[in-house]
Amino acid sequence: MNFLEYKKYFFINVSALWSLIVVYSIIIYSKTDYPPPAPNDFIAIGGVEIFVMILSIIILLWLFVFTILEILIRKYLIEKKFPNFKLNLKIKIPKLIVAIYNVIFSIGFSLACVLFLMALFSLFIATIMWIVKLF
């Protein structure tokens, strides 16, 4: 499968956009100075942002699962059961908009892949730590 064919899948576009949002929020969070927490604070200031970032990474993992399901459904269900079903939309889009979209998609998809691998590695480490703690 050609790399350029991936742009036609909805969840890959959503994951590319979502990864840009996650990286932007991480950059904003890293530049923000929070005061040290008081001893009687239940939740430290900045703890909510970390929770949102972890939740964003989990959402990115699910977007990749949905992407795989979308590819499998299109390849094996729709193309096999409905071989004559073709959706041809010919819309004239200016080349400048297509070029901007290609750059944003490439950056977002690359970041999504890196964040996905980091999330998988973190999940693997957390699972190993959980198993070791059980025994």
Side-chain angles (χ1 to χ4, degrees):
M1 183 178 286
N2 190 0
F3 176 73
L4 297 176
E5 290 179 9
Y6 288 145
K7 291 181 189 177
K8 67 182 179 182
Y9 297 112
F10 174 75
F11 285 109
I12 285 185
N13 287 303
V14 172
S15 64
L17 179 65
W18 187 257
S19 68
L20 290 173
I21 293 170
V22 169
V23 169
Y24 177 74
S25 67
I26 289 172
I27 290 171
I28 294 299
Y29 174 73
S30 66
K31 290 183 178 185
T32 305
D33 282 337
Y34 293 103
N40 57 357
D41 283 346
F42 180 69
I43 296 176
I45 297 173
V48 174
E49 286 85 356
I50 292 174
F51 175 75
V52 168
M53 282 189 257
I54 291 171
L55 185 65
S56 298
I57 297 296
I58 291 171
I59 290 172
L60 187 64
L61 284 171
W62 279 105
L63 282 173
F64 269 92
V65 169
F66 290 146
T67 300
I68 291 169
L69 287 175
E70 180 184 11
I71 291 172
L72 290 175
I73 288 172
R74 281 190 182 191
K75 284 285 184 194
Y76 296 111
L77 186 69
I78 294 177
E79 286 184 6
K80 301 287 184 195
K81 299 288 182 182
F82 308 105
N84 295 330
F85 180 70
K86 300 290 182 200
L87 185 62
N88 293 329
L89 294 175
K90 298 293 181 183
I91 300 172
K92 288 289 187 179
I93 300 174
K95 290 186 178 187
L96 179 66
I97 294 175
V98 172
I100 292 171
Y101 166 72
N102 287 336
V103 169
I104 291 173
F105 177 80
S106 299
I107 292 170
F109 186 68
S110 301
L111 287 173
C113 290
V114 169
L115 289 174
F116 176 72
L117 292 176
M118 288 172 47
L120 278 182
F121 181 71
S122 300
L123 186 66
F124 177 71
I125 295 297
T127 305
I128 288 176
M129 291 174 64
W130 180 71
I131 291 172
V132 168
K133 186 177 178 182
L134 284 178
F135 294 113

